[in-house]
Amino acid sequence: MGTNYGHPKGEFAEINGVNLHYLDLGGAGDCLLLLAGFSNSAHIYKFFSAHFTDHFHVVALTRRSHGQSEITKSGYDLHTRVDDIRGFLDHLGVESVTLMGHSMAGDELTCFAHRFPDRTKMLVYLDAAMERNLQIQSEDPLRDLNSNKEPEEEWSSVEAYFEYVRKEHPIVTNRWDVWRDELLATVDIVAGGRVRNRFTPEIVKKFSDEMKDFKPDFSKIRCPAISFFAMANIHPRLPKDASKELAEAANAYYRNTVNGWKRENAERFRNAVRHSTVVEIQNSGHYLFLDREEEVAEQTKHFLLSA
């Protein structure tokens, strides 16, 4: 008999007519709201959140059409997503909040701080305070690696789904303790134990279209903010069977082009935000709060308690 898999636990709140999934991760004190990146859910913060519950009431929210939150036909634009955050805080009875966001959630942090400065205490950007650069992406030696491969959307079982993800995205094997529940939160388990991806290509396109032209204006941020930037010398998507020439080109691209672009964004953030701290995390992938959990948590906590 196979393992009886099910969705990880959580709670739901109806916000702006949409059922949003969230995790109340415990603790007492001021509210610290964690926002996941593109395609991820509240479960990605499963362990990282524990570093802050001794001083904060920690809650993680899953945005609409992500994870176990309701899939909607509209509302993918940034202002609607920020309205969802505001509505969720109203639901909790939280007047002011510290926001922490990874990747795409940085857009939401910046917009929320613009629109609701009186409700924003502090901001924590986890590899999230960047202008997107399509030119840099076009220079990636690995850009065509999977261009002709159609992503799978359905599997015969949870085990088959896990096997597929481990093969296509080996990064998950580094922190399977986190990714197991995170992956289960992004699928539906249907009749016969089959697994169907909730995050469809149509949803991906709707969010991507909204994100691609966003230009963050950090100059309007009035609260203390810390921004982490992950720096890597090895391309995170480098195949194990890559040729020596491809490996050298891909790693040089990441070491020089990508890291250089991130340092430009770090300088832009430092110059724009008056009360800012910028931290480079070396030898880390994009999920720096998983790759360098202790280091990122320690520096974040020091900032939050001393700002």
Side-chain angles (χ1 to χ4, degrees):
M1 182 178 293
T3 304
N4 183 23
Y5 292 102
H7 284 137
K9 293 181 179 179
E11 301 178 60
F12 291 84
E14 184 175 332
I15 309 299
N16 297 324
V18 179
N19 284 319
L20 298 183
H21 166 266
Y22 71 97
L23 296 176
D24 187 329
L25 296 158
D30 292 341
C31 183
L32 172 60
L33 180 59
L34 311 182
L35 303 173
F38 184 58
S39 81
N40 294 143
S41 77
H43 292 286
I44 201 71
Y45 290 117
K46 176 179 175 180
F47 291 115
F48 188 65
S49 60
H51 293 278
F52 307 98
T53 53
D54 55 347
H55 287 88
F56 297 90
H57 176 202
V58 184
V59 184
L61 178 65
T62 302
R63 72 176 59 79
R64 60 174 63 206
S65 298
H66 280 62
Q68 293 163 262
S69 287
E70 183 180 343
I71 295 173
T72 61
K73 293 182 179 180
S74 61
Y76 293 79
D77 61 286
L78 181 57
H79 276 253
T80 299
R81 286 162 19 217
V82 168
D83 282 339
D84 287 346
I85 296 170
R86 176 190 52 78
F88 179 65
L89 294 174
D90 291 344
H91 170 80
L92 295 180
V94 172
E95 183 57 35
S96 59
V97 67
T98 292
L99 294 175
M100 181 187 299
H102 174 235
S103 193
M104 163 194 180
D107 299 356
E108 294 158 3
L109 265 63
T110 303
C111 184
F112 187 93
H114 287 189
R115 293 179 57 194
F116 309 109
D118 294 339
R119 301 190 70 170
T120 312
K121 286 189 174 181
M122 291 176 280
L123 300 173
V124 180
Y125 291 82
L126 301 173
D127 216 31
M130 288 172 282
E131 288 188 5
R132 294 173 186 86
N133 190 316
L134 298 180
Q135 176 60 36
I136 285 180
Q137 294 177 24
S138 71
E139 297 172 12
D140 187 348
L142 302 183
R143 65 188 178 280
D144 297 325
L145 194 62
N146 296 310
S147 60
N148 297 319
K149 184 184 295 185
E150 289 293 329
E152 292 188 29
E153 295 184 54
E154 190 169 319
W155 299 265
S156 60
S157 66
V158 171
E159 288 83 358
Y161 169 56
F162 283 165
E163 182 180 351
Y164 168 81
V165 176
R166 288 190 187 104
K167 180 181 178 182
E168 296 297 321
H169 307 283
I171 182 178
V172 303
T173 60
N174 297 332
R175 288 300 306 269
W176 189 246
D177 57 339
V178 176
W179 282 103
R180 180 189 179 280
D181 280 359
E182 170 61 25
L183 292 169
L184 285 174
T186 65
V187 298
D188 286 325
I189 302 173
V190 297
R194 295 190 65 81
V195 174
R196 188 172 298 148
N197 194 348
R198 287 172 54 82
F199 205 63
T200 64
E202 290 77 17
I203 294 174
V204 171
K205 186 177 188 307
K206 286 180 180 179
F207 276 109
S208 298
D209 288 345
E210 290 293 341
M211 290 191 297
K212 64 182 180 181
D213 295 324
F214 177 69
K215 299 290 185 184
D217 181 1
F218 301 121
S219 66
K220 296 180 181 178
I221 294 174
R222 296 291 178 260
C223 64
I226 185 170
S227 185
F228 290 90
F229 293 86
M231 300 293 176
N233 293 323
I234 297 175
H235 199 300
R237 293 191 296 110
L238 184 68
K240 292 182 179 179
D241 59 353
S243 66
K244 180 180 178 181
E245 291 76 14
L246 181 59
E248 289 178 349
N251 292 338
Y253 159 79
Y254 220 85
R255 186 170 56 250
N256 300 321
T257 304
V258 175
N259 287 353
W261 165 68
K262 287 192 174 183
R263 290 192 171 102
E264 290 175 3
N265 279 278
E267 189 63 21
R268 182 181 300 113
F269 185 88
R270 184 184 290 110
N271 291 335
V273 183
R274 184 174 181 181
H275 304 289
S276 65
T277 299
V278 171
V279 181
E280 289 188 11
I281 301 296
Q282 302 301 324
N283 301 314
S284 175
H286 184 46
Y287 289 85
L288 71 178
F289 60 97
L290 300 181
D291 294 347
R292 295 288 183 270
E293 180 179 326
E294 297 292 335
E295 180 182 356
V296 174
E298 180 181 354
Q299 296 211 46
T300 301
K301 199 167 182 179
H302 175 75
F303 167 79
L304 294 178
L305 297 179
S306 60

